[in-house]
Amino acid sequence: MFEAFEMHKRKTNTAYTLVYSLGEHPYLGFLIEPHVVMLNPNGSLSFTHKRLFSSTSEEFDEILDDTDRRLIRLLDEIEQSHLIKKYHKQNIRPADYFSKIFNPEIYAFLRPKIEARLLQAIALLNGKPFYLMGKEGYPADQPIQIAASPASVLFHFRRNETETRYFPTIKYEGNRIEFMFRNAQIIINEQAWMLLDQVLYHFDQPLEGKKLNPFLQKRYISVPRATERKYFEMFVSGLIEKHHVYAEGFDIKTLTHEAVPVLKNLSADPENNRFELLFEYGPYLFPAVSDTKVTVRMEYNKEDDHYTFYRIRRSRDWERSKLDSLIGKGLKPQDGLFDYLLVDTAVLKNAENAENSGSTENPQIRTALDWLVAHRADLREDGFKIIQENLQTPYFLGKTSLSFQVSEGNDWFDIHAMAHFGEYEVPFLALRDHILSGNRSFALPNGEIAIIPEEWFARYPQLFHFSQNKHELRLKKHHVGLLDELSSFQEVTMERKLENLQSYEGMPDVQPPAGFKGELRAYQQAGFNWFYFLRQYRFGGCLADDMGLGKTIQALALLQKEKELAAEQGKRHYTSLIIMPTSLIYNWQREAEKFVPDLRIFVYTGTGREKDPALFGKYDVIITTYGIARVDADLFQDFYFHYIMLDESQQIKNPSSKSFKMVKGLRSTHRLVLTGTPVENSVADLWPQMTFLNPGLLGSHHFFQQEFVQPIEKKKDEERAARLHALIKPFVLRRTKEQVATELPPKSEQVVYCEMEEEQTAYYERVKSEYRNTILEGLIAAGGERAGGSGSDARNGVGGSAVDSRGDTAGTGADFGATEKTKQSSQIALLQGLSKLRQIANHPAMIDRNYEGSSGKFEQVLQHLDTVLQRGNKVLIFSQFVKQLVLFRQHFEKENIAYAYLDGATTDRAAVVDRFRRDDEVRLFLISIKAGGVGLNLTEADYVFVLDPWWNPAVEQQAIDRAHRIGQRRNVFIYKFISKDTVEEKILALQERKTRIAESLIVTEESFFKSLDLEDIRSLLE
C-alpha cells in the first residue's frame, strides 16, 4: 500500500489531506492514528492512504500545522511497535509478541497509559478531520463528531420487596439519549468517553466507563434482598457521594452543618508525636481534607426496614484553611496524608532560632505535648476542639523552661539550674535520675504529670555524667565545650580567654622563636598562637590540619620557642618526646635540620640503642617510633617530659592496643597530637586520642560508646554528632587547604572510566556469579542485615583488614549478628569475593598467573602515561595493591622506562625519594598507599594517578596531598581510574551515601562499611 501511495503521488502529483482515524486494535483496544489520504480529482477522499509517523511527516509538511505535528508525536507513543520497544526491551515481531507474550496483566498495565495519551489527543482534535476506521483498515470510513458539551448521567435505584433494580440514564443538551442496545462503545474507561451513532460523548463529572459498560446490552442490574445491605454500603454510598442518584424505596437526604475542627492527640505516650485532624459536622466526624465535596453516611432502621443515606456537604476550602493553619504552626502531614499530622521539628527549630534567639521561655518543640503547650491558646482562639485520648492522669500543658547561673572557680565551673513548670520551680538536680534513665514523666505537687522536654534528654546527660558527684553540678574547665549547651538560655560568665577557647577564631600573636630559620605563614602563626593558649591552661590539643599545611613545622617552632623561653628564665632546657610512624622519621629529621638547627635532637631507634632514660636529659627532643616506644615503654614512662607529641595520632585509635596503653602511661607537662585524619575508621577513634590529651573529657570508654558512637554511626544521629563536636571543638584545630593555602595552584580531578577487555569481563562475571549466590544466601540464612569491619586498614577488603608490610590483605572479619560459624563463613566469602572482584577489575593477572589476556584499565593508564611523559611531567602512581604496582614495574623495565618504587618492603625510603626528586630522568614514582600515604613531600610531580578507589576518601586525599601541598608551583592534575560496570563504580556510590555525619565532626569517615545492609551488599554484587 505504501509503495503504491508513493508511486501514485509521484506520477499524478495529486493532492492529499490528513485525517485522524479511530480504530479498535485486536489486543490494545481503541487507538487513534494519523493517516494521509489521496484526494480524487473532484476533491473527495480516495482509497489510497498512508499511516503517518513523526519520522515520515516532513514530506507532507505543507499540509501540517503545529497542532498536527504535536498530535502525530503524541500518537506515535501509542503505536504498537513503539509500545513493544519501550516496555518489552527486546526485538520481536508484533505478531509474535501478541501471540506469545501479551497477556491480561500487560494489557492492564498498558491500557491506562494509552488512555492518558488518547485524552490528550481528543483535546487537540477539535476541528480536525476525524473518522471511524473501516473493518479493512480504511481510515476514513465514517466521519465522527465530538460532542460540543458534556452529557450528564443520572443513576436510578428502585427498591421493592424482592429486589433493587439499578440503571443509568444519559441526557445531552436536555434530551435523553437512548444508548442501550444501540451498538454504543466505551472508547476510554478511566475518564469515560462513549461512541454512539458516530458521536463521541464525554460527561460532566468524573465517571469510569465501566459503570456504563454493563448497560450497553442490558436494561438494569438486579440486587436481591439477601445481599443488598453489603451492596448499599460498598457501592451505593460511593455512587451517591460522587454522582447524581435518584432513589425509590429508600431516602437520600442532604444535610448542612456548621463545622468544628478537631485535633486529637492519638496517644497519652509523650513519645507519640502524631495527631489526627478531624472535622465535626453535626453528629458526624470526618478525617481531614478529602477529594469529594460530599461525604455519605448510611443508616438502616430495622423496625421499618428502611435505608437513609445522608449527604453531608463539606467545605474543602475551609477545611484546607484549618490544615494550613496547623502547618503554619509547625505540624506536617505524615507521608502525604492530611488526616495524620506530625510535629515538624525542622520547621519549628528554624522558626524558634529566628524569633526567640536567646529566649529562656521557648524550649525546643519535639513532641505532641510540647506542641500543644506552645499553641493551646491559639488553637482555642481558632475554634479547634482539642481531645486527648485515654488519659487517666491529667498532663501539665503549661510553659516549661530552664534557668542557669554559672560561677567560675579556679579549675571548675559551678552550675546552678532550676526547672520551671508553670508556677512550680524544681531544682534541676531533682530531674537527674529521670534524664539519665529516659523517664519523661515527672509528678508535680498538684498531681499533674509534667513531661520533661525531649531536648533536655538530648542536651544534658553529659552535664550530669561529667559532674563531680550526683549532689551538685560542677564541671572541670576542660569541659568548657559543654557550656555551649547552655548558651541558648543565658550568657555564661567566664574568663575572657576561656570564651575565646570556647569559640576559637584567633589568639593574640606570640613572637616566633628567634632561632626559627624561616617564616611562619599566617595560618601557621595562628596555630602557633593556639599552642600557647592551650599551654597557658594546660589543655591538650589536636592539630588536625590538612596534609601538606606544615603541621611538623608548627610543632618544631613550638619546641624551639620553649627552648628559648627556658634560656630566658635561666632554666635548664626542657626535653620533649615525639612519637611517630617509622616512615616519618626521615621527614622530621630533615625538617628539623632545615628550620630549627639549634634544637638538639636524638633519634631513638635501631637495634643497638642505649636503654638509659638519663640519656634523654641531654637533648631537647627525643624522636622515636610507636613500635620502639611499645617495646621500651618502661624506659619512657620513667622520664618526665615537657611536651609529648604524637604524629599520625590515629595510630592509638584502638583503646585496647599496646600503643594506647603505652602512651597513656607516659608523663609530661603538656600534650599535643598531630594528624590529618583523627577519625580514620570510626567515630570511636576519637576517644583514645582525646583521652590521651585531656583525660576524662569524653568520659569512660563505655559511656562514649553508648552516648556517641552507637547513636552517630548506627542511627546517623546528627544532633549527637553536633554535641560531640561541641565537646572536642576547643581542643581541635582544623584548617583545610581551601581555607588557608590560597597561594596553592588549583588542582583538577577527573574520573577516567575504563572499559574492561572482553576476556576480562567474562572473567569478572564468572567470579562475581560464583561469590554472589554464596554470599547472599549466607547473609539471608544468617538473618543478618548489617555488615561490619574492624582493623587498622581497608586496603584489599571491606571496612578493615589485617595488612602485611607490603600492603596486601592478610584477612579480617565482618559481623552479621548470626551464629559464629555462619558469621565467619559470610565474612570470609564477602571479603574474598570483593577483594577478587576489585583485583580483576584492575587486571586478572593479579590473582591468576596463567591469565594471558590484557586489562582495559592497564592499557588506558599506559596511554595516559605516554601522553604525560611526552610533555616532560612527573607522575605519582598510587595503588593499594602491591601486585598491581608490580605489573607496571615489569612493564617499565621491559620498555626501559626509568621509575622509582616504594612499598612497605622498601628499606631506604630516603634514597628512593631523593632519586625521584633530583633525577630528571626518573619521572614515574610507583607508590603503595600503605607505605607512601603520609610523610612525603613530592611537589616535583604535578600529575597523580589513582589506580583504584579506596573505601576511605580521606586516605585517597592524603595520597593526592603528596603533590598538592605547600611548595607546589604548578597546577596539579589527578586522574582516578575506575573500571566501568564493576564493584569499583559501586564503591564510589556507597561512599556518597554512607559518609555524612563524620564530616560534621572533623574529617570524613571510613566506617560507612559498618552500616552496609543486605541491599547495599546485593548492589555491590549485582
Side-chain angles (χ1 to χ4, degrees):
M1 177 67 77
F2 289 172
E3 291 78 1
F5 183 95
E6 293 295 336
M7 186 179 297
H8 185 68
K9 175 184 168 188
R10 288 195 297 271
K11 286 183 178 180
T12 63
N13 196 26
T14 308
Y16 41 80
T17 188
L18 173 66
V19 303
Y20 295 91
S21 181
L22 175 67
E24 188 172 9
H25 189 280
Y27 297 96
L28 298 175
F30 281 96
L31 303 174
I32 297 175
E33 297 178 351
H35 287 260
V36 174
V37 181
M38 286 288 185
L39 298 178
N40 293 317
N42 62 359
S44 63
L45 297 174
S46 75
F47 288 101
T48 305
H49 59 87
K50 177 181 179 180
R51 171 70 159 90
L52 197 60
F53 298 90
S54 297
S55 59
T56 60
S57 63
E58 288 187 5
E59 59 183 298
F60 303 103
D61 202 55
E62 62 193 55
I63 64 169
L64 305 180
D65 58 24
D66 289 341
T67 302
D68 289 319
R69 296 183 187 93
R70 184 178 172 189
L71 274 165
I72 293 168
R73 287 194 301 270
L74 190 65
L75 297 174
D76 278 354
E77 296 181 29
I78 58 175
E79 191 273 332
Q80 64 177 13
S81 296
H82 177 88
L83 291 172
I84 294 171
K85 183 177 179 180
K86 181 175 182 180
Y87 295 106
H88 186 60
K89 306 292 187 184
Q90 296 178 4
N91 291 328
I92 187 173
R93 293 171 57 246
D96 292 336
Y97 176 78
F98 287 114
S99 63
K100 298 177 181 179
I101 296 174
F102 193 76
N103 57 39
E105 289 76 19
I106 296 176
Y107 175 83
F109 170 77
L110 290 178
R111 187 60 196 175
K113 301 179 184 301
I114 293 171
E115 292 191 353
R117 298 295 186 272
L118 291 178
L119 288 171
Q120 292 177 267
I122 291 173
L124 298 172
L125 278 175
N126 190 31
K128 299 290 183 183
F130 192 22
Y131 291 87
L132 187 64
M133 182 176 287
K135 293 183 178 180
E136 301 301 322
Y138 179 58
D141 190 55
Q142 301 175 52
I144 296 176
Q145 176 186 352
I146 299 176
S149 58
S152 62
V153 177
L154 178 65
F155 291 97
H156 299 256
F157 289 89
R158 293 177 180 171
R159 180 175 183 256
N160 57 37
E161 294 179 355
T162 60
E163 64 180 0
T164 298
R165 292 186 175 183
Y166 154 54
F167 60 92
T169 58
I170 300 176
K171 284 189 176 182
Y172 179 69
E173 294 183 345
N175 299 314
R176 183 167 173 170
I177 299 175
E178 295 297 333
F179 70 97
M180 299 176 180
F181 302 101
R182 296 285 300 275
N183 295 321
Q185 293 174 291
I186 302 300
I187 303 303
I188 299 175
N189 175 64
E190 292 197 11
Q191 175 53 54
W193 281 77
M194 183 179 72
L195 179 64
L196 174 64
D197 296 334
Q198 297 174 241
V199 178
L200 261 184
Y201 293 96
H202 59 293
F203 299 89
D204 60 0
Q205 54 190 306
L207 176 68
E208 293 178 292
K210 66 182 181 181
K211 284 188 168 61
L212 296 178
N213 213 53
F215 302 100
L216 300 182
Q217 302 297 326
K218 182 184 292 188
R219 293 292 181 188
Y220 59 84
I221 291 175
S222 175
V223 181
R225 277 296 189 102
T227 60
E228 69 175 7
R229 181 157 189 164
K230 184 176 181 181
Y231 185 78
F232 281 12
E233 289 174 346
M234 302 297 294
F235 179 75
V236 178
S237 290
L239 203 67
I240 294 173
E241 197 171 84
K242 297 178 181 179
H243 302 289
H244 303 298
V245 175
Y246 172 79
E248 297 177 14
F250 57 85
D251 293 328
I252 301 174
K253 296 182 179 181
T254 300
L255 303 178
T256 302
H257 295 283
E258 185 173 342
V260 175
V262 177
L263 193 62
K264 182 186 293 185
N265 186 9
L266 294 177
S267 172
D269 180 2
E271 301 297 327
N272 191 328
N273 277 355
R274 196 169 69 162
F275 290 103
E276 184 177 10
L277 176 60
L278 303 166
F279 293 100
E280 188 177 84
Y281 287 81
Y284 301 105
L285 269 177
F286 302 110
V289 179
S290 69
D291 295 331
T292 60
K293 293 183 179 180
V294 174
T295 300
V296 172
R297 290 292 182 266
M298 184 187 82
E299 290 185 1
Y300 174 65
N301 189 323
K302 190 173 183 180
E303 293 182 3
D304 56 7
D305 186 30
H306 191 75
Y307 291 93
T308 303
F309 292 86
Y310 294 98
R311 301 175 77 250
I312 299 97
R313 293 191 178 276
R314 297 172 61 180
S315 172
R316 287 191 293 176
D317 292 341
W318 176 83
E319 290 184 10
R320 181 73 216 197
S321 71
K322 296 301 180 185
L323 174 62
D324 289 342
S325 172
L326 296 178
I327 292 174
K329 289 179 174 64
L331 299 186
K332 64 179 180 180
Q334 180 183 18
D335 299 329
L337 302 175
F338 294 131
D339 44 354
Y340 294 118
L341 300 170
L342 304 177
V343 176
D344 191 344
T345 55
V347 172
L348 289 167
K349 184 175 181 180
N350 292 338
E352 287 169 4
N353 288 342
E355 298 176 11
N356 302 313
S357 179
S359 171
T360 63
E361 298 184 356
N362 289 282
Q364 194 177 68
I365 296 171
R366 295 178 183 271
T367 69
L369 283 173
D370 294 337
W371 187 88
L372 277 177
V373 168
H375 296 284
R376 188 179 185 187
D378 291 340
L379 292 170
R380 292 278 172 83
E381 186 176 339
D382 205 18
F384 278 88
K385 181 187 292 186
I386 300 172
I387 300 174
Q388 293 195 46
E389 290 189 331
N390 305 320
L391 296 185
Q392 298 177 355
T393 304
Y395 277 89
F396 170 75
L397 296 179
K399 291 184 178 180
T400 302
S401 64
L402 275 176
S403 61
F404 287 89
Q405 291 183 345
V406 180
S407 58
E408 186 177 354
N410 289 332
D411 197 33
W412 67 85
F413 298 108
D414 283 322
I415 301 172
H416 307 278
M418 296 295 292
H420 304 272
F421 299 99
E423 62 185 85
Y424 299 104
E425 289 189 354
V426 179
F428 193 40
L429 273 170
L431 305 181
R432 179 183 186 277
D433 292 340
H434 286 69
I435 288 178
L436 293 180
S437 65
N439 180 9
R440 296 200 63 197
S441 300
F442 181 77
L444 295 176
N446 65 352
E448 288 185 326
I449 300 298
I451 299 302
I452 301 173
E454 184 180 341
E455 70 269 18
W456 295 8
F457 292 87
R459 283 179 181 268
Y460 303 118
Q462 296 86 0
L463 190 62
F464 291 117
H465 179 83
F466 293 123
S467 181
Q468 297 299 295
N469 62 64
K470 65 169 62 176
H471 303 298
E472 63 180 355
L473 285 175
R474 173 174 286 188
L475 298 177
K476 290 184 178 180
K477 277 193 175 175
H478 66 219
H479 286 121
V480 62
L482 279 178
L483 296 181
D484 281 337
E485 301 294 340
L486 312 180
S487 61
S488 61
F489 293 95
Q490 73 160 50
E491 294 184 4
V492 179
T493 303
M494 65 182 77
E495 293 182 14
R496 182 170 299 278
K497 289 183 179 179
L498 282 173
E499 288 179 350
N500 290 339
L501 178 61
Q502 189 179 7
S503 56
Y504 171 75
E505 292 182 358
M507 299 291 170
D509 274 349
V510 177
Q511 186 68 29
F516 183 77
K517 306 302 182 183
E519 183 178 346
L520 293 175
R521 299 172 187 272
Y523 70 88
Q524 292 172 336
Q525 177 67 48
F528 184 69
N529 298 340
W530 183 71
F531 286 156
Y532 272 90
F533 183 71
L534 293 174
R535 178 183 182 276
Q536 180 178 356
Y537 290 93
R538 295 200 175 184
F539 289 140
C542 171
L543 182 60
D545 285 347
D546 263 358
M547 292 291 177
L549 293 186
K551 294 188 290 294
T552 304
I553 293 172
Q554 294 171 68
L556 288 171
L558 168 67
L559 296 176
Q560 176 67 28
K561 182 72 173 181
E562 289 296 285
K563 177 173 182 175
E564 294 176 8
L565 287 175
E568 290 175 8
Q569 298 167 5
K571 299 178 181 178
R572 66 183 299 276
H573 72 275
Y574 301 124
T575 300
S576 295
L577 173 67
I578 308 175
I579 305 176
M580 64 194 70
T582 304
S583 61
L584 299 186
I585 292 287
Y586 169 73
N587 185 65
W588 273 88
Q589 282 183 281
R590 189 181 61 195
E591 297 291 316
E593 291 169 0
K594 178 178 179 181
F595 292 102
V596 286
D598 292 343
L599 280 182
R600 290 171 298 172
I601 294 179
F602 178 51
V603 179
Y604 184 76
T605 59
T607 56
R609 58 190 182 275
E610 186 177 348
K611 299 184 179 183
D612 182 1
L615 185 66
F616 296 161
K618 300 177 182 180
Y619 297 93
D620 299 313
V621 181
I622 309 301
I623 292 177
T624 192
T625 69
Y626 286 100
I628 295 294
R630 287 194 301 269
V631 172
D632 294 348
D634 292 341
L635 181 73
F636 287 102
Q637 289 169 1
D638 279 346
F639 194 93
Y640 192 89
F641 294 98
H642 182 54
Y643 265 92
I644 294 178
M645 297 184 184
L646 307 181
D647 195 7
E648 298 296 336
S649 60
Q650 70 273 15
Q651 298 276 337
I652 67 166
K653 65 192 176 188
N654 184 350
S656 62
S657 68
K658 292 181 179 179
S659 291
F660 174 69
K661 292 174 181 176
M662 175 270 297
V663 300
K664 203 168 78 164
L666 299 176
R667 297 179 299 156
S668 66
T669 306
H670 307 288
R671 295 185 174 194
L672 288 174
V673 301
L674 313 176
T675 176
T677 54
V679 178
E680 187 177 55
N681 290 334
S682 163
V683 176
D685 297 349
L686 283 174
W687 186 85
Q689 296 172 80
M690 293 296 116
T691 298
F692 166 75
L693 292 172
N694 298 300
L697 174 67
L698 299 180
S700 69
H701 185 251
H702 176 76
F703 169 81
F704 183 71
Q705 289 283 335
Q706 296 293 319
E707 193 68 17
F708 293 109
V709 177
Q710 293 180 18
I712 291 172
E713 294 199 343
K714 292 186 178 180
K715 300 179 182 178
K716 304 304 178 188
D717 189 329
E718 295 184 13
E719 290 188 10
R720 203 66 63 95
R723 260 196 317 284
L724 176 56
H725 175 69
L727 271 172
I728 65 175
K729 178 183 175 183
F731 314 109
V732 179
L733 183 59
R734 165 73 166 163
R735 280 85 58 90
T736 65
K737 285 187 293 189
E738 289 74 19
Q739 291 172 315
V740 298
T742 54
E743 72 275 22
L744 269 178
K747 66 178 179 181
S748 62
E749 297 189 12
Q750 179 179 345
V751 177
V752 180
Y753 289 98
C754 310
E755 296 280 356
M756 289 194 294
E757 298 288 341
E758 185 175 344
E759 185 177 353
Q760 182 184 13
T761 299
Y763 200 129
Y764 181 92
E765 292 298 326
R766 184 169 66 253
V767 172
K768 183 177 72 173
S769 296
E770 290 172 2
Y771 277 96
R772 179 174 54 214
N773 295 337
T774 302
I775 293 169
L776 295 180
E777 288 172 5
L779 293 180
I780 294 170
E785 295 185 355
R786 297 216 170 268
S790 61
S792 63
D793 212 334
R795 303 297 189 262
N796 294 352
V798 182
S801 54
V803 180
D804 67 18
S805 62
R806 295 174 58 87
D808 286 336
T809 300
T812 186
D815 187 358
F816 296 95
T819 64
E820 194 64 28
K821 186 175 180 179
T822 305
K823 179 172 65 177
Q824 290 177 358
S825 63
S826 297
Q827 294 167 7
I828 294 169
L830 175 61
L831 294 169
Q832 286 181 342
L834 289 179
S835 180
K836 276 191 176 182
L837 290 176
R838 296 172 72 196
Q839 291 180 76
I840 295 169
N842 284 285
H843 201 308
M846 293 168 63
I847 65 169
D848 185 354
R849 293 180 181 179
N850 297 320
Y851 181 79
E852 297 180 355
S854 185
S855 155
K857 181 186 288 190
F858 187 81
E859 297 299 330
Q860 195 152 354
V861 171
L862 292 179
Q863 291 176 15
H864 278 73
L865 280 176
D866 184 57
T867 302
V868 172
L869 293 177
Q870 287 179 16
R871 299 174 185 156
N873 302 85
K874 289 202 171 193
V875 189
L876 305 182
I877 305 173
F878 281 97
S879 175
Q880 59 199 300
F881 297 108
V882 170
K883 292 176 182 177
Q884 177 155 231
L885 297 177
V886 170
L887 291 176
F888 281 95
R889 186 177 186 173
Q890 292 169 348
H891 173 81
F892 297 152
E893 290 174 352
K894 180 180 178 182
E895 299 296 326
N896 294 318
I897 300 173
Y899 67 91
Y901 181 89
L902 177 65
D903 69 16
T906 303
T907 54
D908 194 346
R909 292 167 54 91
V912 172
V913 172
D914 280 344
R915 179 170 176 250
F916 176 76
R917 298 183 67 183
R918 302 179 191 281
D919 190 342
D920 292 338
E921 295 299 317
V922 180
R923 288 185 281 138
L924 298 176
F925 200 163
L926 294 163
I927 309 173
S928 75
I929 184 59
K930 179 67 175 177
V934 295
L936 297 179
N937 186 339
L938 299 170
T939 53
E940 292 76 14
D942 52 355
Y943 279 81
V944 179
F945 283 19
V946 179
L947 299 187
D948 34 73
W950 295 308
W951 295 105
N952 186 355
V955 176
E956 187 175 281
Q957 194 59 48
Q958 288 178 16
I960 293 168
D961 285 340
R962 299 310 96 217
H964 194 247
R965 60 194 296 126
I966 301 301
Q968 180 60 265
R969 303 294 182 187
R970 293 164 294 180
N971 293 356
V972 176
F973 299 91
I974 299 102
Y975 290 94
K976 302 177 182 179
F977 293 88
I978 302 294
S979 291
K980 284 188 65 178
D981 302 320
T982 72
V983 69
E984 291 191 329
E985 264 192 306
K986 293 163 184 177
I987 289 173
L988 295 182
L990 277 174
Q991 283 180 344
E992 294 176 4
R993 291 189 3 229
K994 301 289 183 180
T995 56
R996 294 181 182 175
I997 289 182
E999 292 178 356
S1000 67
L1001 291 172
I1002 302 172
V1003 292
T1004 55
E1005 64 170 343
E1006 186 177 343
S1007 60
F1008 70 88
F1009 174 71
K1010 296 181 179 180
S1011 63
L1012 294 189
D1013 56 29
L1014 194 56
E1015 287 305 311
D1016 293 329
I1017 295 170
R1018 183 177 281 117
S1019 72
L1020 281 171
L1021 299 172
E1022 286 299 324

